[in-house]
Amino acid sequence: SADDERAVLTTLRQMEERLAATHLAAIGDLTDTTDASLVASALPVVSQHAVVLGRIGATPAPIEELVPALQTT
């Protein structure tokens, strides 16, 4: 049903947002450059997933909400 689809999309978006935030926070704590590079390479992909999921829902989130002017941890 439409309600189920909205719930799944909302849950997926929240998961991707948390994953992106975790990646961003982890980069500052990593001491190994290989590990930091791997996490940094995944961050844009996870962030893009969150934006897409936020835009395809039944009530699309404003792009300003999904792509803030400043990224913070």
Side-chain angles (χ1 to χ4, degrees):
S1 77
D3 288 339
D4 291 340
E5 182 178 316
R6 276 192 294 274
V8 168
L9 289 173
T10 298
T11 300
L12 288 173
R13 174 184 164 203
Q14 291 170 346
M15 182 185 70
E16 291 288 352
E17 287 175 344
R18 288 184 184 127
L19 190 56
T22 301
H23 278 67
L24 183 61
I27 290 173
D29 294 333
L30 295 171
T31 56
D32 182 83
T33 56
T34 302
D35 292 342
S37 177
L38 179 62
V39 171
S41 68
L43 179 57
V45 176
V46 176
S47 299
Q48 289 172 353
H49 290 169
V51 170
V52 169
L53 288 166
R55 296 297 292 170
I56 65 172
T59 307
I63 195 72
E64 296 81 16
E65 178 185 324
L66 299 170
V67 184
L70 297 173
Q71 296 290 324
T72 60
T73 53

